[in-house]
Amino acid sequence: MAKIKIQKKDIWIDMTPMSDVMTLLLCFFMLTSTFLTPEPVQVNAPNSVSEVKIPEQDLLTILVNPDGNIYVGTENKNHMKAMLETMTDKFGVQLNATQEKHFLEDAMVGAPMGKLADYLNLSTEKMTEAIQKLGLPLDSISGGKSEFQEWVSAARSANPDMKLAIKCDANTSYAVVKKMMSELQDMSENRFQLITNLDVKRLNE
């Protein structure tokens, strides 16, 4: 009995719909993602069970590293530029176009006004190293506000609706945090949020 030969057919799958779906998903994630500006120093915030979300806009972040150095900044570069203009006018600091460009490219303010021009003259790599040892002074200037308070006031002038959020390292000295909060309260800045990491284990207990 003769064998019947079965004709083999090539299986072809149209991948066009799959490509369309992948393209749409990629566009969706690109449009909805929030890109975070890298912080100037590494900070490991303490854990808590609070699930309150920090606002993403009109926010002035106050960063305190383990050594007690303080940095401030906001994601809005227009507000950062207005803050810089306020501070340079007040302290009589002259910056050129390159220095201003470096300032706006930096994530946060962390150099004292007396060292700001020299700091902004550094290359990007050296700025990253130098900022680790700097920080905004908490000491009052001639019996008035400290530089930290002046930057907060400049932020408030740039945007009256600016909200404050404090992010401290878990190993930051309590004395530094207390002094910083006292200076905010002296300015009648009594409403601010604390940025912490969510402690999932404690939350589920």
Side-chain angles (χ1 to χ4, degrees):
M1 184 176 178
K3 294 183 178 180
I4 300 174
K5 293 184 178 180
I6 301 174
Q7 185 177 1
K8 295 182 178 180
K9 295 182 179 180
D10 294 333
I11 299 175
W12 181 79
I13 300 176
D14 186 5
M15 297 297 291
T16 304
M18 180 68 73
S19 300
D20 292 341
V21 171
M22 293 301 296
T23 303
L24 289 173
L25 286 173
L26 179 61
C27 292
F28 171 78
F29 287 123
M30 290 179 64
L31 293 173
T32 57
S33 298
T34 301
F35 297 95
L36 299 176
T37 305
E39 296 173 344
V41 293
Q42 185 68 30
V43 172
N44 295 317
N47 295 331
S48 74
V49 295
S50 175
E51 295 185 81
V52 178
K53 292 185 177 181
I54 303 296
E56 297 180 359
Q57 296 181 345
D58 300 332
L59 182 70
L60 181 72
T61 303
I62 302 171
L63 193 70
V64 189
N65 74 352
D67 297 327
N69 299 333
I70 298 176
Y71 310 86
V72 300
T74 176
E75 294 286 340
N76 192 313
K77 295 304 178 183
N78 291 328
H79 293 160
M80 289 291 287
K81 184 177 181 179
M83 290 163 58
L84 178 64
E85 292 174 353
T86 300
M87 292 297 290
T88 51
D89 289 344
K90 186 175 185 63
F91 286 85
V93 176
Q94 298 292 328
L95 300 178
N96 57 39
T98 302
Q99 291 169 327
E100 291 182 1
K101 181 175 179 291
H102 285 173
F103 176 86
L104 295 177
E105 290 174 349
D106 217 356
M108 305 183 88
V109 184
M113 293 304 296
K115 299 179 180 179
L116 183 61
D118 293 336
Y119 167 73
L120 295 175
N121 279 331
L122 300 174
S123 63
T124 304
E125 293 77 12
K126 291 185 178 180
M127 285 175 66
T128 303
E129 296 177 4
I131 198 68
Q132 307 292 326
K133 300 177 182 178
L134 299 174
L136 300 181
L138 290 176
D139 299 327
S140 300
I141 305 170
S142 300
K145 294 180 179 180
S146 66
E147 287 191 22
F148 165 69
Q149 290 175 312
E150 292 289 357
W151 277 107
V152 174
S153 296
R156 183 64 69 196
S157 298
N159 181 9
D161 296 327
M162 190 81 74
K163 300 175 182 64
L164 306 183
I166 300 173
K167 184 177 182 180
C168 299
D169 192 274
N171 296 320
T172 302
S173 171
Y174 174 72
V176 175
V177 179
K178 181 180 179 181
K179 184 176 182 181
M180 179 196 62
M181 289 184 175
S182 296
E183 292 205 357
L184 290 175
Q185 291 172 345
D186 290 342
M187 303 169 60
S188 298
E189 295 286 354
N190 298 312
R191 295 179 64 87
F192 44 80
Q193 294 174 294
L194 300 178
I195 299 176
T196 57
N197 295 322
L198 183 63
D199 192 339
V200 180
K201 292 182 179 179
R202 288 178 56 193
L203 186 65
N204 294 331
E205 290 179 356

